[in-house]
């Protein structure tokens, strides 16, 4: 940790739209109810002056640990997170989605992982809160990552992982001094395509700098993520899986396909075939939704593969690097370009 950093969590919530006003207030309220209180709550507003002013007014009189600030970088989630990390004072930095609420012991379970000084990141479990009140019958649990949630096949209990999932994650703040910030030009930026992958790229880059680093997931650290009706539709499922393929192509270009796709290969070759077989078996038994779930697995897999091929083709044709890794103020990290050819041995 940086010299003089107080022991505790700085929790960063990146926000970008007034449409989630009540969600934002609910997220902050859940953080205020933690059994291990956060040192501070940082609301980073992504280039939305009206929302910034509204939040500043809402929290002007407290609680005192809530700080509201504008994204100091270009539009997008990565720059917003980097802004929060640069302003954070705590030893540990946690990220909570602006449309999620944390269980009361969320931070306590994340903190338990840091008893081992070799642990640089701890993630948790994200459960979906379907706006319609129930999971769509065709929606396979193996693809819950489509709606920002922990998917079937993800490690359970407390386990070592390649990367934590960005909406429910924490890091030692010193990790950003080692590896730089989240890459700019990858991840969500308010555009039409729901891109992602910035936390995967960062985690792989971090373990390259510190090969002995331990990254954990502890599924007792639970948050609940709201899934609006628009994301319960098959059209969103198809577009999100395609966009994930595009994102993985960017990640693979930065850190190499070996590291960038290791978990995805295991998921594709082991978990997804079992999901198809289970769906077809349910259909033969007359259980509703079985055939539709098997079909959704096949469509989602094909869309992600197609997006990856398209993204790889675009990356090969690009002349300039597609994204860069910034220095995060206050962490001592040096910036370096990325997006060029992967290092030898990747």
């Amino acid at each position: 940790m940086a010299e003089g950093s107080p022991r505790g969590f700085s929790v960063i919530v990146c926000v970008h739209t007034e449409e989630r006003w009540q969600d934002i207030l609910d997220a902050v309220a859940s953080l205020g109810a933690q059994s291990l209180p956060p040192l501070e709550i940082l609301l980073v507003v992504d280039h939305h002056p009206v929302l910034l002013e509204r939040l500043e007014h809402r929290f002007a009189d407290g609680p005192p640990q809530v700080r509201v600030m504008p994204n100091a970088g270009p539009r997008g989630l990565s720059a917003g997170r980097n802004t929060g990390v640069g302003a954070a004072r705590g030893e540990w930095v946690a990220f909570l989605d602006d449309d999620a609420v944390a269980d009361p012991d969320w931070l306590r379970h994340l903190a338990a992982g840091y008893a081992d000084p070799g642990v640089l990141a701890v993630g948790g479990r994200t459960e979906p809160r379907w706006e319609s009140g129930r999971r769509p019958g065709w929606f396979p649990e193996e693809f819950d990552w489509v709606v920002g949630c922990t998917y079937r096949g993800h490690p359970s209990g407390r386990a070592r992982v390649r990367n934590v999932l960005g909406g429910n994650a924490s890091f030692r703040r010193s990790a950003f001094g080692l590896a730089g910030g989240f890459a700019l030009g990858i991840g969500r930026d308010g555009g039409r395509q729901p891109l992602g992958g910035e936390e995967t790229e960062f985690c792989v880059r971090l373990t390259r700098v510190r090969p002995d680093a331990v990254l954990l997931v502890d599924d007792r650290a639970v948050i609940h993520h709201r899934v609006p009706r628009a994301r319960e539709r098959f059209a969103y499922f198809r577009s999100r899986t395609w966009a994930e393929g595009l994102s993985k192509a960017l990640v693979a270009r930065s850190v190499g396909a070996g590291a960038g796709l290791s978990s995805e290969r295991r998921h594709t070759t082991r978990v997804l075939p079992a999901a198809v077989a289970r769906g077809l078996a349910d259909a033969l038994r007359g259980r509703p939704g079985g055939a539709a779930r098997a079909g959704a697995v096949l469509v989602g897999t094909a869309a992600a593969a197609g997006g990856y091929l398209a993204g790889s083709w675009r990356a090969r044709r690009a002349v300039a690097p597609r994204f860069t890794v910034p220095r995060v103020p206050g962490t001592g990290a040096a910036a370096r370009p990325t997006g060029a050819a992967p290092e030898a041995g990747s």
Side-chain angles (χ1 to χ4, degrees), residues 125-126 140-146 148-155 162-163 165 263-264 267 271:
R125 182 171 186 83
T126 302
E141 293 181 19
E142 292 79 5
F143 278 80
D144 275 7
W145 55 265
V146 166
C149 296
T150 304
Y151 52 89
R152 186 171 189 165
H154 191 265
R162 178 197 65 181
N163 64 277
L165 304 179
S263 296
E264 289 75 13
H267 192 69
V271 176

Side-chain angles (χ1 to χ4, degrees), residues 157 173 251 254 322:
R173 190 155 65 90
V251 172
S254 172
R322 296 183 68 88

Side-chain angles (χ1 to χ4, degrees), residues 183-332:
L184 304 180
I186 189 172
R188 300 208 178 209
D189 63 358
R192 297 181 64 183
Q193 284 193 319
L195 298 174
E198 69 281 354
E199 68 275 359
T200 300
E201 194 277 339
F202 175 79
C203 289
V204 173
R205 181 163 25 98
L206 175 61
T207 52
R208 281 192 169 176
V209 176
R210 278 284 301 274
D212 60 338
V214 176
L215 283 63
L216 295 176
V217 63
D218 186 338
D219 63 11
R220 299 173 301 169
V222 177
I223 70 169
H224 303 270
H225 186 265
R226 185 175 68 84
V227 183
R229 288 180 184 271
R231 296 188 181 184
E232 297 182 16
R233 297 171 183 163
F234 189 74
Y236 179 82
F237 177 89
R238 189 175 60 246
S239 67
R240 178 67 184 88
T241 51
W242 171 270
E244 183 70 7
L246 294 175
S247 301
K248 292 303 182 185
L250 284 176
V251 172
R253 189 181 188 198
S254 172
V255 300
L261 299 176
S262 58
S263 296
E264 289 75 13
R265 287 194 185 95
R266 287 192 295 271
H267 192 69
T268 302
T269 58
R270 300 178 188 178
V271 176
L272 297 186
V276 173
R278 189 163 47 250
L280 293 177
D282 285 346
L284 291 173
R285 296 186 182 101
R287 296 174 181 171
R293 286 192 299 275
V297 171
L298 295 175
V299 171
T301 302
Y308 180 79
L309 292 174
S312 299
W313 181 79
R314 294 176 190 176
R316 285 196 298 269
R317 290 175 59 88
V319 176
R322 296 183 68 88
F323 54 92
T324 57
V325 176
R327 177 187 182 275
V328 179
T331 64

Side-chain angles (χ1 to χ4, degrees), residues 129-140:
R129 290 189 298 141
W130 304 97
E131 190 171 71
S132 64
R134 58 183 298 179
R135 172 188 294 274
W138 60 268
F139 203 115

Side-chain angles (χ1 to χ4, degrees), residues 3 6 19 40 42 46 48 92 102-103 134 141 144 150 158 160 168 235 256 270 275 291 319 328 332 334 344:
E3 186 176 354
E19 294 177 3
E40 58 186 351
L42 308 179
D46 192 17
H48 195 311
W92 309 309
D103 274 2
R134 58 183 298 179
E141 293 181 19
D144 275 7
T150 304
R158 181 187 283 188
R160 191 166 181 172
N168 180 1
R270 300 178 188 178
V319 176
V328 179

